Amino acid sequence: MCQLLGMNCNTPTDIVFSFTGFATRSQEHADGFGIAFFEGRGVRLFVDHQAAVRSPVADLVRRYPIRSTNVIAHIRKATQGPVGLENCHPFVRELWGRYWVFAHNGDLQGFEPRLHAAFRPVGDTDSERAFCWLMQELAKNHARVPSPQELTETLRELAEVPASHGTFNFMLSNGHALWAHCSTRLHYLVRQHPFSTARLQDEDMSVNFAEVTTPNDRVAVIVTEPLTADEPWIPFEPGQLRAFLDGAPLPV
């Protein structure tokens, strides 16, 4: 299956360290990759149907440290839909006058919801279909952007529907908060003062975060499998949905 990476922060932060370790895993998950950064009301989206370990687009991301408060990245191991640019995550849609970014890890069998014209998939994946359905149902449930707490409750109920068709690990962000839902495996950690040194599991690379942060910085990193060997990653419970705001998880 695919793998997910998300970051939510209280100040714009670059994700080069985490993305470097994450991209290494595309040797196994080689059917495309993508990464989306929010910058104010806009989104920078980079996708490629090539594996991240050999993609020139991924190399650009590693060399160009875009700073953002919300980032979602994905490396694909195809289950539904051929390898192609239109099937690369993350996917982006507009709702309530802002962009929403979504990526999924899993396999949904027989999930064929009725979709109206406002939200239709471009590609062939169960993932984009589920995203369009989520956007459609959010629009039905709320007339305008709800608070992160309200949206968490709505998403928790909605997620049960596609999850009943298979594995539904996903990340969703509107540039303000980030939501992560676990069917099987997700982990998160919060980096905050006092910062320490972290070493990647998949690359010979380490960073002393105390040298590149301020005492007020806070960063939440969410990923399928822990990226570092020396940090306190916290596993999600199966079926759990968590919201992250300003670099910290909201109370469950």
Side-chain angles (χ1 to χ4, degrees):
M1 288 189 183
C2 312
Q3 293 215 1
L4 299 166
L5 168 64
M7 184 179 74
N8 170 269
C9 324
N10 67 348
T11 189
T13 303
D14 81 64
I15 199 171
V16 171
F17 176 71
S18 294
F19 182 73
T20 299
F22 183 68
T24 301
R25 297 177 177 177
S26 67
Q27 296 181 60
E28 178 184 352
H29 303 76
D31 297 327
F33 93 97
I35 185 166
F37 304 79
F38 281 91
E39 291 188 27
R41 294 168 60 188
V43 173
R44 294 184 189 266
L45 175 66
F46 300 89
V47 294
D48 195 349
H49 64 281
Q50 300 182 71
V53 287
R54 59 176 179 269
S55 166
V57 179
D59 187 53
L60 169 67
V61 172
R62 284 189 288 267
R63 291 185 291 106
Y64 188 63
I66 301 168
R67 304 179 74 84
S68 175
T69 54
N70 284 278
V71 180
I72 292 178
H74 180 273
I75 50 177
R76 185 175 185 231
K77 189 172 184 179
T79 54
Q80 295 188 38
V83 175
L85 201 59
E86 70 275 14
N87 290 327
C88 292
H89 312 216
F91 303 105
V92 179
R93 293 291 189 278
E94 178 275 331
L95 177 62
W96 301 311
R98 63 173 58 190
Y99 289 117
W100 295 75
V101 171
F102 173 92
H104 166 231
N105 162 27
D107 187 17
L108 304 176
Q109 295 293 325
F111 184 62
E112 299 286 347
R114 180 175 296 178
L115 300 172
H116 58 57
F119 300 104
R120 300 292 294 272
V122 175
D124 313 291
T125 64
D126 53 332
S127 306
E128 189 182 14
R129 193 158 55 247
F131 178 35
C132 289
W133 181 80
L134 282 177
M135 292 291 95
Q136 175 177 285
E137 297 307 304
L138 287 177
K140 289 179 182 178
N141 278 271
H142 302 279
R144 56 185 179 274
V145 183
S147 70
Q149 292 82 359
E150 291 175 308
L151 195 53
T152 301
E153 292 306 312
T154 303
L155 283 170
R156 185 172 287 122
E157 294 179 8
L158 292 177
E160 294 179 1
V161 178
S164 67
H165 289 261
T167 305
F168 196 45
N169 303 298
F170 75 79
M171 292 185 189
L172 173 72
S173 180
N174 61 2
H176 179 55
L178 186 150
W179 290 266
H181 178 267
C182 174
S183 278
T184 51
R185 294 183 69 80
L186 275 181
H187 300 77
Y188 79 93
L189 64 78
V190 176
R191 294 187 181 121
Q192 58 189 347
H193 183 75
F195 291 95
S196 58
T197 298
R199 177 175 56 84
L200 291 175
Q201 291 201 94
D202 304 287
E203 285 278 344
D204 184 17
M205 181 178 180
S206 62
V207 169
N208 182 356
F209 287 105
E211 296 177 351
V212 294
T213 57
T214 74
N216 297 321
D217 293 351
R218 186 171 61 238
V219 178
V221 180
I222 309 97
V223 71
T224 302
E225 297 289 348
L227 292 171
T228 56
D230 44 10
E231 293 185 288
W233 293 91
I234 300 170
F236 280 61
E237 297 176 8
Q240 185 176 40
L241 183 136
R242 302 211 67 155
F244 296 82
L245 182 66
D246 293 328
L250 293 179
V252 175

